[in-house]
Amino acid sequence: MAQQQAIADVVGIGAGPSNLGLAAAVHERNKAGYPSLSMAVLERKPAFAWHPGMLLDGATMQIAFLKDLVTLRNPRSPFSFLSYLEARGRLVDFINHQTFFPTRVEFTDYLGWVAESVDASISYGTTVTAVERLDGSGTPDGARWLVRFSGPDGDGELRARSVVVATGLRERLPEWAATGPRLFHNHRLLEHLAAADLDPAAPHRFLVVGGGQSAAEVAQHLHRSYPEAVVECAFNSYGFQPADDSPYANKVFDPAAVDDFFDAEDDVRAELMARHATTNYGCVDLELINELYAVEYQEKVTGNRRLLMRPVTEVRAAAPSNTGVRVELHDRMSERTTTAEYTAVVCATGFRSIGVSDVVSDWGVAPERIRVGRDYRLTIDGEPVPGLYVQGATEATHGLGSTLLSNVAVRAGEILDGLVADTSLTTIAKGA
Ligand SMILES: Cc1cc2nc3c(=O)[nH]c(=O)nc-3n(C[C@H](O)[C@H](O)[C@H](O)COP(=O)(O)OP(=O)(O)OC[C@H]3O[C@@H](n4cnc5c(N)ncnc54)[C@H](O)[C@@H]3O)c2cc1C
């Protein structure tokens, strides 16, 4: 049975960093004495978590803590990483640590602290199933959207003046990957390893497919967690390629780069995306590359080889076997194809943004007609759709920072400006 309908000025879909950044901006504005905006966030996970399947011991952030949810928008925000450290009583300890790159465990705790501290109401275990446009703007409460969800108490609906979709990423899997308990995407690594309950003292054999940061992190994790296991890494390049985090290249993530990318001609934008791909894609932190190399080298010295690289190698087929997974591997240089048995295969094969594809699937609008404007409002055939914003799935138009944390703070401020400038919302919020 549908739950009673309520109305919110803003409904956020997804309680990841993007909508938490917006919730922080809304909170600050409300506390500054402006007409209050109510925000409800619907999140399908049962409790706050940030990529929990990859919360590996010691894994660090790929971005400076100063690019938290707020600082680039408002360095005095009470929701900064520094405010979090102070609240947790670790400010001076963190300073002594002398790093810009906290662990993902600590950053997750920061994000959870923000989720608990903002005045937006966050409903967990609640999956949005559809977003429907209400007819006309003449509804008595000013609602323009009906957000349908499935929650812990069954199906429900929420009326909204505006909706901000920030549903994050979906796992990208190769065609040969029929996933199961022993063949899975790295995004669910810890969950699958826990379920497999593998004996750490047994001589397992793992295959990690992919050449990016996640692949390298997974290889290191498996190598450390299963001291008798052999870990093999299959990837397209000749060796792990370092991530370019040098200062000039890093400028592709600057807030100002969004205008540059958005305004550029399509061919220029595409060229820049390709030239700067190794700031984020198919690349690994140099420090981690060096750590893996040192391990492999030491194993060559001792003769106890457990970390093995299979460069320029593609997987052609994989099927469940009695012991795990049987895999056909093709070395593209020697053109030799071999078959091997693995305890488990981890596909660290990347992601794609979900965007609005799930929530607007019932609209009957061809995907090529849907875009996102510079102000993050959805457009259909170039016409902005009032009160529907998208965070994250804008890499093709807004640049490489779209799926990352780099621009969360500034983007939240821009979306808030849009929400406030929106005539009907302002009118309602002022009680006129
Ligand atoms: C392992 C890993 C490490 C990363 N490390 C970094 C890093 O160090 N620096 C960096 O800049 N970026 C990093 N990223 C990129 C990452 O995408 C961003 O950091 C960030 O998570 C993006 O935030 P988001 O809110 O847009 O999306 P997400 O964090 O993916 O959040 C989206 C949320 O929406 C929810 N959701 C989806 N569909 C629905 C629905 N229908 N109904 C309700 N809820 C829904 C999901 O459960 C999820 O909680 C990393 C990504 C991964 C996978």
Side-chain angles (χ1 to χ4, degrees):
M1 199 166 68
Q3 293 160 11
Q4 201 183 2
Q5 287 188 10
I7 176 138
D9 288 319
V10 189
V11 169
I13 306 179
S18 297
N19 271 338
L20 290 180
L22 181 61
V26 168
H27 180 117
E28 286 172 37
R29 184 178 189 277
N30 289 348
K31 289 288 178 279
Y34 293 100
S36 198
L37 299 182
S38 59
M39 181 168 180
V41 184
L42 308 180
E43 167 57 50
R44 81 175 158 204
K45 292 195 193 108
F48 180 78
W50 184 57
H51 306 307
M54 282 290 288
L55 212 53
L56 309 179
D57 257 358
T60 56
M61 296 297 294
Q62 305 302 302
I63 198 165
F65 73 84
L66 290 168
K67 290 188 176 174
D68 58 19
L69 299 183
V70 293
T71 298
L72 278 170
R73 174 181 56 78
N74 174 16
R76 291 173 208 84
S77 166
F79 299 111
S80 66
F81 187 75
L82 291 177
S83 300
Y84 152 81
L85 287 173
E86 189 189 33
R88 289 281 193 257
R90 283 200 307 272
L91 183 55
V92 76
D93 297 325
F94 185 82
I95 293 170
N96 288 339
H97 195 18
Q98 298 196 25
T99 182
F100 273 95
F101 304 99
T103 61
R104 279 215 293 274
V105 169
E106 184 170 33
F107 204 77
T108 299
D109 191 49
Y110 158 66
L111 295 173
W113 172 81
V114 174
E116 278 170 17
S117 310
V118 289
D119 60 13
S121 87
I122 305 182
S123 304
Y124 293 99
T126 304
T127 300
V128 172
T129 49
V131 175
E132 291 166 19
R133 205 166 168 173
L134 295 174
D135 279 344
S137 54
T139 50
D141 55 6
R144 292 183 295 200
W145 300 99
L146 189 66
V147 179
R148 295 189 188 278
F149 59 84
S150 164
D153 302 322
D155 294 343
E157 298 163 358
L158 197 52
R159 294 165 73 80
R161 297 184 177 112
S162 294
V163 171
V164 183
V165 181
T167 43
L169 304 165
R170 180 160 293 161
E171 301 160 0
R172 182 184 280 142
L173 284 159
E175 273 176 22
W176 51 261
T179 52
R182 295 295 179 92
L183 195 171
F184 46 85
H185 192 277
N186 72 281
H187 202 219
R188 296 175 62 191
L189 176 78
L190 294 181
E191 179 189 328
H192 278 289
L193 289 180
D197 194 22
L198 301 171
D199 177 1
H204 301 294
R205 187 176 180 189
F206 295 107
L207 180 68
V208 183
V209 183
Q213 179 71 21
S214 292
E217 286 182 8
V218 169
Q220 185 178 60
H221 177 78
L222 293 171
H223 190 272
R224 286 178 175 169
S225 308
Y226 300 92
E228 299 303 322
V230 169
V231 180
E232 298 177 23
C233 302
F235 43 80
N236 291 322
S237 56
Y238 200 73
F240 283 128
Q241 311 213 60
D244 184 353
D245 62 349
S246 57
Y248 287 113
N250 239 346
K251 288 173 77 63
V252 294
F253 301 122
D254 287 358
V258 177
D259 282 327
D260 293 336
F261 271 83
F262 194 86
D263 294 338
E265 294 297 328
D266 289 351
D267 58 333
V268 176
R269 189 166 49 230
E271 182 189 330
L272 289 177
M273 301 287 271
R275 282 187 189 280
H276 291 285
T278 55
T279 51
N280 189 37
Y281 293 113
C283 56
V284 183
D285 225 19
L286 184 57
E287 204 179 320
L288 179 52
I289 292 179
N290 288 334
E291 284 172 19
L292 290 174
Y293 191 87
V295 167
E296 199 188 355
Y297 182 79
Q298 180 64 8
E299 291 180 355
K300 283 181 179 169
V301 173
T302 61
N304 179 21
R305 301 292 305 273
R306 296 205 303 113
L307 179 63
L308 302 172
M309 299 296 150
R310 284 179 171 269
V312 204
T313 296
E314 63 184 23
V315 174
R316 291 224 161 139
S321 70
N322 288 342
T323 51
V325 189
R326 182 177 302 114
V327 182
E328 193 181 299
L329 292 144
H330 180 69
D331 179 327
R332 291 173 53 219
M333 283 184 299
S334 68
E335 299 205 329
R336 281 186 53 221
T337 302
T338 49
T339 301
E341 296 275 340
Y342 294 95
T343 311
V345 176
V346 185
C347 299
T349 41
F351 297 89
R352 64 180 177 81
S353 292
I354 301 177
V356 288
S357 53
D358 284 1
V359 288
V360 303
S361 56
D362 297 341
W363 290 15
V365 180
E368 58 275 13
R369 293 171 56 201
I370 298 179
R371 287 176 73 96
V372 180
R374 172 61 187 86
D375 58 1
Y376 301 103
R377 263 196 298 173
L378 194 82
T379 66
I380 296 179
D381 300 331
E383 282 300 309
V385 177
L388 187 61
Y389 294 79
V390 181
Q391 306 208 61
T394 57
E395 194 178 66
T397 44
H398 295 62
L400 279 155
S402 296
T403 61
L404 304 175
L405 298 168
S406 349
N407 203 30
V408 162
V410 171
R411 182 175 64 201
E414 291 174 347
I415 292 176
L416 179 58
D417 288 347
L419 293 169
V420 171
D422 185 305
T423 329
S424 57
L425 182 55
T426 318
T427 311
I428 290 156
K430 283 182 175 153

